[in-house]
Amino acid sequence: MCGIVGCMGCPNGTLETLMDGLGNLEYRGYDSAGVALGPVLETRKRAGELDELRKTVAEEPPTGDFGVGHTRWSTHGPPADRNAHPHTDESGRVAVVHNGIIENYQRIRDELEAEGVTFTSETDTEVVPHLIARELESGSDATNGDGGCSPADAFHAVVDRLEGSYALCVVVDGHEAIFAARQGSPLVMGVDERATYLASDVPAFIERTRDVVFLEDGQRVELRPDDWTVMDADRSPVEVSVETVEYTAEATGKSGYDHYMLKEINEQPDALRQCLSGRLDELDGTIEIEELSDLEEPTSVQIVACGTSYHAAVYAATLLRGAGVPAAAHLASEYATAPAPLGKGTLVIGVTQSGETADTLAALREARARGARTLAVTNQVNSTAARECDDVVYIRAGPEIGVAATKTFSSQLMATLLLTEDLVGLAEDLDPLIEALRDLPGAIQTVLDTTDAREVAAEIADSDAYFFIGRDRQFPVALEGALKCKEISYEHAEGFAAGELKHGPLALVTPATPVFAIVTGDGERARKTIGNIKEVEARDAPVVAVTDGRSEAERYADLVLEIPETHPLTAPVLTNVQLQLVSYHLANDLGRPIDKPRNLAKSVTVE
């Protein structure tokens, strides 16, 4: 669920404002869209591209003085008109748009269905309008004279019941107001002399105003025709500052977060939805990247990259070898001066977030000069790598401002997974993997909502060094976890293949060197990694298990970071999110300049 837009008192017409805002949010990725206008409530929604909604509203335009709109990426329920937002109650009196995940929705849904409520969608969001409608009819605060409660009271009562992450906007038939709340999902308000706006991010209304209020977690807002109020969860008014922003990524990117890095960690569910959009076909059970339709299966693959992108390359090479294709990841700076031998049919892949990384470009140029076909995996459209390579796959992570890569790494992992399946195939039965990919954004959100990373970081602060271990597909996550720790906390950290710890690095293990052990699944790799944990325990080093609980690794750990169970190929994304958060909180506690670590640049354009 990706994009929210709302407006009250729009001078250029409510419907036009909402549709323009939804168009500005298309970059976030979506598979359906809709609008609701009031005070006489009218809703229109369609699955598919925004053009489908435009056709619908052109044929039967809704009218109103205010309204809300939404672009959705499927989480609960497939792309379909019935699952598109806004969602309404049975009578059509309440309309709701929502980003995030309501974790206790099933319990609420069971309760409402037991009372006779009929649901029309599979979404978690639909419980909200039904709850509000029930409060309006039978709420205890009878302030509107008809035995129920006021729309404002009903909204607050329902928000108090919700668990999870959400940005919510609600309109009620016959009532001139928009109610909104933020908890763990971005929501920003735009203001000017005539109108007020709500959106997931500033680009939705930037053409109309640059004066904004970045709402914080736990805050709620009521927009009325002549004023607006921001309040806390107790409904006490909150003083907020109106900021004037410039339309640049740096000026508008934080959306109320303390750091770009934290914002971008929290954007990973949306980033993954964008990466996967249009590439999964659940009905046919296929994964396909349209840009690679002319690319033949390679006989071997060489992957060149630097830094975080190199760790994604290690993951990709592991996938390819598992699919039976000879593959190796190379540090681009080494490959450019000492390239590996090329065989007939060798494909050289360059993984680069910016598409401008000098070492990676040099390696790709060397490979192409020697006759290899080249492919760029990048985030930047029309970047040098995208232009110079024979083929390109975009990871679609969106703008990333923080120097330490977060959401782009997750998107690189998934883009290379999709790439591997498209090129050579990962398994005969893709259904479990496709299901895991579909559920992955929600699983990341669960990690974000339930993580103990802050407490873990506090426990291990002031250590001498930090070690990270993992096997197979979790090995590159161990490398990346150590790199993040180094980049932003300035603390010494190292990542190892778990089995290598005893071949030398174990000499460095002491009671002052916490070891992060990544253990997922319950197979041989997990059992062997638990053996490595015991080796560490014998040296009195604290152990932090990053685990899905299937191997009971937590029994041997001092601290635990949990992830939901998922497919073995997608588990590295979830373990990585936990390690990102640990590094962030450790660096924040140490007072480091997280977004701009010393000596580092976002795009390294020199060799």
Side-chain angles (χ1 to χ4, degrees), residues 361-417:
L361 290 173
L364 288 167
R365 288 164 182 160
E366 175 64 27
R368 196 169 190 199
R370 296 165 61 225
R373 184 157 185 165
T374 57
L375 185 154
V377 177
T378 184
N379 197 37
Q380 299 301 321
V381 177
N382 293 324
S383 60
T384 302
R387 294 194 310 270
E388 292 188 1
C389 285
D390 300 298
D391 304 281
V392 60
V393 172
Y394 291 112
I395 67 171
R396 304 175 180 169
E400 185 177 67
I401 307 306
V403 168
T406 52
K407 64 178 180 176
T408 53
F409 178 64
S410 296
S411 295
Q412 286 171 340
L413 295 184
M414 289 303 94
T416 56
L417 185 153

Side-chain angles (χ1 to χ4, degrees), residues 295-437:
L295 185 59
E296 296 181 358
E297 180 175 330
T299 59
S300 63
V301 176
Q302 298 173 4
I303 313 173
V304 294
C306 304
T308 287
S309 295
Y310 172 73
H311 302 152
V314 174
Y315 169 83
T318 303
L319 295 183
L320 287 159
R321 290 194 298 270
V325 177
H330 300 269
L331 291 166
S333 56
E334 292 293 308
Y335 187 97
T337 55
L342 291 174
K344 185 178 181 181
T346 297
L347 174 68
V348 178
I349 300 173
V351 184
T352 163
Q353 186 281 135
S354 66
E356 306 293 343
T357 309
D359 290 320
T360 306
L361 290 173
L364 288 167
R365 288 164 182 160
E366 175 64 27
R368 196 169 190 199
R370 296 165 61 225
R373 184 157 185 165
T374 57
L375 185 154
V377 177
T378 184
N379 197 37
Q380 299 301 321
V381 177
N382 293 324
S383 60
T384 302
R387 294 194 310 270
E388 292 188 1
C389 285
D390 300 298
D391 304 281
V392 60
V393 172
Y394 291 112
I395 67 171
R396 304 175 180 169
E400 185 177 67
I401 307 306
V403 168
T406 52
K407 64 178 180 176
T408 53
F409 178 64
S410 296
S411 295
Q412 286 171 340
L413 295 184
M414 289 303 94
T416 56
L417 185 153
L418 301 177
L419 171 63
T420 301
E421 166 55 29
D422 190 273
L423 286 179
V424 300
L426 285 166
E428 291 185 8
D429 182 9
L430 277 179
D431 289 345
L433 177 58
I434 290 175
E435 182 180 357
L437 289 169

Side-chain angles (χ1 to χ4, degrees), residues 1-2 27-31 73-75 264-280 315 379 394-398 400 406-418 436-445 448 569-574 576-577 580:
M1 292 167 279
C2 290
Y27 71 92
R28 298 171 70 89
Y30 67 103
D31 53 36
W73 173 267
S74 299
T75 53
E264 288 155 4
I265 289 172
N266 280 274
E267 285 177 339
Q268 285 177 116
D270 281 339
L272 265 294
R273 293 183 185 110
Q274 294 173 62
C275 179
L276 300 173
S277 178
R279 294 166 171 172
L280 301 183
Y315 169 83
N379 197 37
Y394 291 112
I395 67 171
R396 304 175 180 169
E400 185 177 67
T406 52
K407 64 178 180 176
T408 53
F409 178 64
S410 296
S411 295
Q412 286 171 340
L413 295 184
M414 289 303 94
T416 56
L417 185 153
L418 301 177
L437 289 169
R438 181 199 66 202
D439 295 341
L440 185 58
I444 296 172
Q445 190 63 58
L448 294 170
L569 299 183
T570 53
V573 175
L574 302 181
N576 174 65
V577 173
Q580 289 174 345

